[in-house]
Amino acid sequence: MNIRTQNYTNSFNEAFPLGNGRLGAMVYGDGVTCTFTLNENTLWSGMPHVSTQEDSLLLPHRFLKDGLYGYEGSINKNGKFYQDKLQELKKMIINKEYTKATHFAEEWLQGGFSQSYMPFGKLILSFDIQKTHITNYYKSLDLKHALYTEELYTQDNTIHVQSFMSYPQDALFIYIKSIKHIDLCITLKGGLIQSSFFDDTAKSLVAYGKCPSYASPYFPESSVIFEENKGIGFIGGLKVLECDGIVLGNYLKSSIKEACEIFLAFDIQSGFKAYNLKPQSDSLSLYPLLHSKLEKLDNEYSYYKEEHIDDYQCIANSSLKISTNESFEEDIDYEKTTCCATLCSLLFEYGLYLLIASSRGENQPCNLQGLWNDSTLPVWSCNYTTNINLEMNYWGACVFGIEECILPLFKCLEELSIAGKKTAKDYYNARGFVCHHNTDLWRHTQPTGNGVQHTLWAFGGAWLSLTLYQFLQYNPNEKLLKRLEPLLEESSLFYVDFLTQIDGIYHTIPSTSPENNFIDPKTKQRAAVAMSSSMDISLLNELFNATLDTLAYFNKTDSQHFKEIKEALKNLASIQKDNDGGIAEWYHKDLFTHDNNHRHISHLYGLYPYNLFFKNEELLQAATKSLLQRGELGTGWSLVWKIACHARLKNTQIVQKLLQKLYQKAAPTPNSFNHILDCEKIDFVNGGGLYPNFLLAHPPFQIDSSLGIAAALVEIFVQCHNDYIELLPCLPSTWSNGMLCNIKLKGGIRISIKWKESALAWLELCAFKDSNVKIKYQDCILQTELKANTPCTYTQSHFKGYL
């Protein structure tokens, strides 16, 4: 599919994204200029904060009001102060003093913020053309080939600009072809660029700068700080690989005169070394690496383009086509396309494109905005938020089945497990590792500030571990399972020690239900900390079971850890129903949510992405009631989560209504977004929808909904959370024709399905090993045997007579 427009680009949310997992660019075009806002995924503020000194705790003993250098505080080598405060908090919660406990936690158990993802700056290509001379213009993003194209027409000339982000060459390539000679001015500026120069010998324009040593999203008076010999240095360069004109340059810009064909390459080198090593701050010392890499690019544009397309299409082989008739739209325009079926098809393939572009290989995982950010004060630091957003980024990875897209999250969690061991020991006197609701390039694992309904949630490590485990349920891989086994085990051990036993039942104390509050029955005030939220219990139920199954797979059932985890699971607190018959968000039934329409549906984790409630009809009915009570409002990612849940429950009409809300046109957001200055201008609750570049709004832009929607849509067409595969369980009647191709299901089964006139037309299944499977279509269940790597096809006639 192609996203196509004739409009000029004036803001970030109108630009088109390019990426290869490490380098990212948002491409703007206004006819006379083509602008790339540039990112490299290790450009972050801050410094390592995993100390190697045993007498240094990583956070101060209380919340710093300005948030500065929260991780450099020192108490004592055991963190006894924090542990003592934690014990006081537990007593308040057990005594049901929830308001007091919440205020106490805000005062004593919060810390400094995680760091911020930073932009490189802008690459601006300016043509010597008057905008009034332009007779026609269009730009498009080709999702099938991962190419961005602009066409510019004047009365006597046509200019073609094409660009892509190559994974094999790890560079941005730009190709310009004109019928007649043109002049072009090239500049690198903005962002954190400090200076630039032109290397005449290498025909390269080079710019360099440094990331701040601290950046806070909340404090205007001290939001960004630079310090000598601290912060990540970086350098970027644009090299002219081919040109049939004249190339000139100085320290500010380079110019190309009288050219018809220009081929450019761009790269960024970062001073980041590792999450626990001091980065290289001297930017200029990185130039030899940049120069060496650009010098190796000596092939023609056609070679790199073909290589790029082959590489991309090798892994981007899933698709969804839906239509209300027998034709499918391929060119999509924001101003003209309103059909929900068409938008679903587009956003499914867009989600695939964005995942490959933002998370691939041995790079960093995709953050709150994936790979793309143009602000030094981005919304919520553009970091990793682990109480839904980071996990939702990878829901699609399961069904797409692309191993190299999940590898960045594997690497990240392995590093978090190391950093989180110190936090577990210092803060909780516990084994294993812990991660709270925010982390960053430096693998921050401690509580942050700004409200305990966010910060005191200590289950980031659990959910991330389970995200990887879920991927392997869909895409079995013994090598990766072996990497995951110690992460599951270490995460489980933390919670074994974290649990508090009351009358023989193991509870999580303190406990929150991200990011909601409840009404304290005693004080009638808003509170956030209690015990054994349904989210906690659901996560631990799944985590302990996953860990036990994995240990058993590797013949470790005789280990002491296996016995401890099994004992904890056996005595774990149960999920409760509230007085209205729904799932109680907190363990005690007299704690009622402060906001019935809250964007988080954390207590329904057992409905999706987990399937805990489907194993218990009573809980399933309660979960259904709670989901309906939560209503149909929400931010972009919240709507996606609700769509997935309602699809599993086969609530077709509600799914359609939520999709329509998701696809409404989003209100514009400030450009570039500044978290400190612009937050008051945003309706964070009801302002979601589609931006002109078809990215989904939180608002403002977050990548989670754009990545998560693909997995939610799959639930409409095929489900596998029970012990059978169910076909077309939630198909809207108006989506009469369509096909879903190359999707992974649990057990490593790949499926393609086609329907016509709202009925099954054709089905293909292929398993990676010999498998006996049940397939349900309408009221019929077919049991069949699949041979390893042998596609089997079925039609509607195969299901006749099977019940």
Side-chain angles (χ1 to χ4, degrees), residues 22 169-170 267 269 289-296:
R22 183 180 74 89
Q169 299 299 328
D170 197 17
D267 183 38
Q269 291 296 314
L289 292 174
L290 176 69
H291 176 75
S292 174
K293 183 174 177 182
L294 292 175
E295 281 297 300
K296 293 176 182 178

Side-chain angles (χ1 to χ4, degrees), residues 395-693:
W395 286 358
C398 291
V399 295
F400 295 138
I402 308 174
E403 181 180 308
E404 58 190 277
C405 288
I406 201 74
L407 291 179
L409 191 63
F410 258 97
K411 180 182 177 183
C412 176
L413 190 60
E414 286 169 337
E415 293 172 349
L416 281 170
S417 72
I418 298 170
K421 283 181 182 179
K422 183 167 179 58
T423 303
K425 178 183 176 183
D426 288 344
Y427 282 59
Y428 299 95
N429 192 29
R431 297 168 296 173
F433 78 95
V434 63
C435 175
H436 292 79
H437 95 294
N438 275 160
T439 188
D440 55 23
L441 180 73
W442 311 109
R443 306 315 183 220
H444 186 112
T445 57
Q446 308 86 1
T448 60
N450 206 42
V452 294
Q453 71 272 25
H454 314 267
T455 65
L456 225 57
W457 186 76
F459 287 80
W463 200 349
L464 291 174
S465 299
L466 289 169
T467 300
L468 297 176
Y469 183 75
Q470 179 87 336
F471 178 85
L472 295 179
Q473 295 295 293
Y474 282 71
N475 303 275
N477 181 312
E478 186 166 326
K479 183 179 178 182
L480 287 180
L481 185 62
K482 194 161 188 174
R483 279 178 67 179
L484 182 59
E485 184 269 321
L487 301 176
L488 290 169
E489 186 174 357
E490 291 293 325
S491 182
S492 291
L493 285 178
F494 169 77
Y495 298 108
V496 168
D497 291 350
F498 178 80
L499 290 168
T500 299
Q501 186 177 163
I502 301 175
D503 297 329
I505 299 175
Y506 292 173
H507 290 278
T508 59
I509 310 175
S511 176
T512 65
S513 186
E515 297 171 0
N516 206 356
N517 294 277
F518 58 85
I519 302 301
D520 186 335
K522 293 180 181 178
T523 66
K524 309 304 178 185
Q525 295 181 34
R526 189 185 305 187
V529 292
M531 64 191 294
S532 296
S533 70
S534 289
M535 174 73 156
D536 289 2
I537 301 307
S538 296
L539 280 166
L540 290 188
N541 193 301
E542 184 178 9
L543 177 67
F544 289 161
N545 273 302
T547 305
L548 293 173
D549 287 347
T550 305
L551 289 173
Y553 181 85
F554 289 111
N555 298 314
K556 295 183 178 181
T557 56
D558 292 333
S559 70
Q560 180 61 31
H561 291 168
F562 183 92
K563 296 173 183 176
E564 290 182 72
I565 296 166
K566 188 175 182 180
E567 178 71 13
L569 175 62
K570 178 182 176 181
N571 296 289
L572 187 64
S574 59
I575 294 171
Q576 303 294 303
K577 292 199 301 180
D578 61 28
N579 294 330
D580 294 326
I583 297 292
E585 196 157 350
W586 295 272
Y587 186 76
H588 291 111
K589 298 181 181 182
D590 57 346
L591 305 185
F592 296 102
T593 176
H594 177 266
D595 180 5
N596 284 324
N597 299 122
H598 197 273
R599 62 195 177 277
H600 281 259
I601 51 172
S602 305
H603 57 313
L604 302 181
Y605 171 87
L607 192 60
Y608 188 96
Y610 193 24
N611 66 341
L612 176 66
F613 298 151
F614 290 91
K615 302 172 184 178
N616 184 311
E617 185 61 31
E618 186 178 352
L619 287 180
L620 182 61
Q621 294 302 319
T624 302
K625 185 164 189 174
S626 290
L627 183 61
L628 292 171
Q629 288 173 342
R630 209 56 144 198
E632 297 169 7
L633 297 177
T635 59
W637 60 260
S638 177
L639 290 173
V640 167
W641 198 353
K642 290 178 180 178
I643 288 166
C645 288
H646 280 291
R648 278 210 171 167
L649 295 173
K650 305 171 188 175
N651 295 329
T652 307
Q653 290 185 336
I654 298 177
V655 167
Q656 288 182 284
K657 288 174 66 177
L658 292 173
L659 285 169
Q660 291 291 350
K661 287 180 180 293
L662 190 69
Y663 296 159
Q664 68 187 356
K665 285 180 167 53
T669 54
N671 182 50
S672 298
F673 190 90
N674 181 302
H675 186 83
I676 292 172
L677 301 178
D678 296 324
C679 273
E680 297 300 321
K681 305 172 186 176
I682 301 295
D683 181 357
F684 288 114
V685 176
N686 301 310
L690 277 176
Y691 287 121
N693 56 9

